[in-house]
Amino acid sequence: MSATTPFGEFDLIGRIRARAAMRSDVVLGIGDDAAILRLPANRELVVAMDTLNAGVHFPADAHAADIGWKALAVNLSDLAAMGAEPAWCTLSLSLPDANSGWIDAFLDGFDALAHLHGVALVGGDTTRGPLSISVTAHGFVQPGRAMRRSGASAGDDVWVTGTLGDAAAALALRGIGTHAQLPRLGRVDASGDAAARAVLETRLARPAPRIDISRELAVFATACIDISDGLLADLGHVSLASAVEMSIDADALPASRSLVAWFDAGARRDLQLSGGDDYELAFTAPPSARDAVCAIADANGTELARIGRVTQGSGVRVVDSRGEAIAVTGHGYQHFA
Ligand code: ADP
Ligand code: MG
């Protein structure tokens, strides 16, 4: 920005700087023309960038603290998908006006997640414009150890962390998005249903990137991706990059209790296969790693479900537990589609 600024840019940067966490490998953080960072010996640097736009990635009335959390979470999820240990991030903010209350709340969410994973905010940019947030996240892997989309081979199992479809279910219950018309079982007047709905809302607003478990999985996984656009869409990327077919057992897809409380089996399947925003990890690993993968799940208290197999061919097919193909109508989210 120019030296004369009409909207308190430097006040905002000052607020951000005052709260930014430090790390000993940050030689110079926010405040100069660029940050200076000390790279650890014998590590590769892994870099990811994702943008959240108002009205596209979050509803215009979303809480600032949730937006702050999610802006970092989606980037840490990309690092998790690579098996990287997060270290630093930068933050580009486009704001309609300089609202210190908004920025403080935004930082409450952003900093809470940064603190959880020991990530230092080391720089960024602040401009006026439509509400939009871009974050880059930087992390480390041992040379050659990052999980890519391209490593799956025929014979591997397909696994997924956590449960699927919860974030999309929250949107559907609000009557937003591609799943808005799905029939629902729950009623908001029943307190159990309301509690279940709150769980779904939290999955949407505050996704938890699978940072911790991913580095352990990287030892065994042949390919990995984080599920941002929907299971089928994201497995499609792995299938393409690895030049294999993936066969997914619809009956093996993990569902949360909250999802079960609100949607019947048919609606759940739609949400699990094509609902975005869960930020779980889908990965492939050889059958010889099954015991090790289950041990990692137990040690971390994380649900891990084996949902299919990698075969020769191309694309992603969905089958039921008898192996019969299921026609799938839903698709993952695609910009410009
Ligand atoms: P320059 O004009 O040299 O690009 P800026 O005025 O844009 O510098 O930024 C000043 C300092 O504040 C830089 O260190 C920059 O990285 C940091 N900064 C600006 N905006 C943000 C932000 N939204 N989050 C974190 N750091 C920021
Ligand atoms: Mg400069």
Side-chain angles (χ1 to χ4, degrees):
M1 290 291 286
S2 64
T4 52
T5 162
F7 72 107
E9 173 196 353
F10 297 113
D11 300 334
L12 287 182
I13 297 173
R15 280 185 125 83
I16 295 170
R17 180 185 186 178
R19 296 180 54 167
M22 281 303 284
R23 286 168 56 105
S24 59
D25 53 11
V26 178
V27 179
L28 186 62
I30 295 170
D32 212 305
D33 292 310
I36 305 174
L37 307 168
R38 193 181 303 113
L39 290 158
N42 195 33
R43 287 289 184 278
E44 288 172 344
L45 184 64
V46 180
V47 180
M49 179 183 209
D50 252 335
T51 299
L52 301 188
N53 291 327
V56 180
H57 301 94
F58 55 87
D61 63 350
H63 297 301
D66 291 339
I67 298 169
W69 174 285
K70 193 159 183 173
L72 182 57
V74 299
N75 282 278
L76 295 185
S77 179
D78 281 325
L79 292 189
M82 305 300 288
E85 172 193 352
W88 312 307
C89 64
T90 59
L91 167 65
S92 175
L93 282 174
S94 165
L95 304 173
D97 48 50
N99 178 333
S100 61
W102 190 92
I103 199 72
D104 285 343
F106 176 89
L107 291 171
D108 285 343
F110 190 95
D111 290 343
L113 185 62
H115 185 260
L116 211 56
H117 294 290
V119 178
L121 176 61
V122 299
D125 200 18
T126 306
T127 56
R128 181 156 60 168
L131 181 57
S132 174
I133 302 108
S134 292
V135 172
T136 60
H138 306 237
F140 312 131
V141 287
Q142 290 180 34
R145 288 289 184 81
M147 295 185 281
R148 306 181 183 200
R149 297 177 178 184
S150 56
S153 56
D156 283 351
D157 296 320
V158 182
W159 296 81
V160 70
T161 61
T163 57
L164 296 172
D166 295 333
L171 280 180
L173 291 179
R174 285 195 217 161
I176 305 174
T178 46
H179 299 95
Q181 303 308 323
L182 286 180
R184 49 189 72 167
L185 300 169
R187 300 168 312 277
V188 270
D189 55 351
S191 65
D193 291 343
R197 182 169 179 180
V199 171
L200 299 175
E201 284 288 343
T202 301
R203 288 292 314 266
L204 178 67
R206 299 245 171 170
R210 294 291 186 179
I211 285 291
D212 296 336
I213 197 171
S214 88
R215 274 176 280 161
E216 295 179 50
L217 295 175
V219 176
F220 304 98
T222 49
C224 185
I225 193 166
D226 68 321
I227 304 170
S228 52
D229 297 331
L231 179 71
L232 286 184
D234 289 316
L235 285 182
H237 298 312
V238 176
S239 146
L240 201 62
S242 298
V244 293
E245 183 184 58
M246 314 191 92
S247 185
I248 301 306
D249 177 358
D251 297 326
L253 300 176
S256 70
R257 272 199 244 163
S258 304
L259 193 71
V260 173
W262 275 94
F263 294 96
D264 70 14
R268 284 205 297 274
R269 184 172 284 177
D270 255 16
L271 291 161
Q272 292 168 309
L273 288 171
S274 63
D277 265 346
D278 282 323
Y279 298 98
E280 297 293 352
L281 298 179
F283 63 96
T284 55
S288 59
R290 280 180 194 173
D291 288 347
V293 169
C294 291
I296 293 171
D298 289 346
N300 286 275
T302 307
E303 240 181 279
L304 274 177
R306 188 152 52 83
I307 60 166
R309 295 191 315 123
V310 180
T311 54
Q312 286 178 352
S314 62
V316 183
R317 355 187 277 135
V318 183
V319 297
D320 63 21
S321 45
R322 293 168 308 155
E324 304 275 335
I326 292 174
V328 177
T329 48
H331 301 283
Y333 189 78
Q334 253 194 65
H335 292 268
F336 308 115

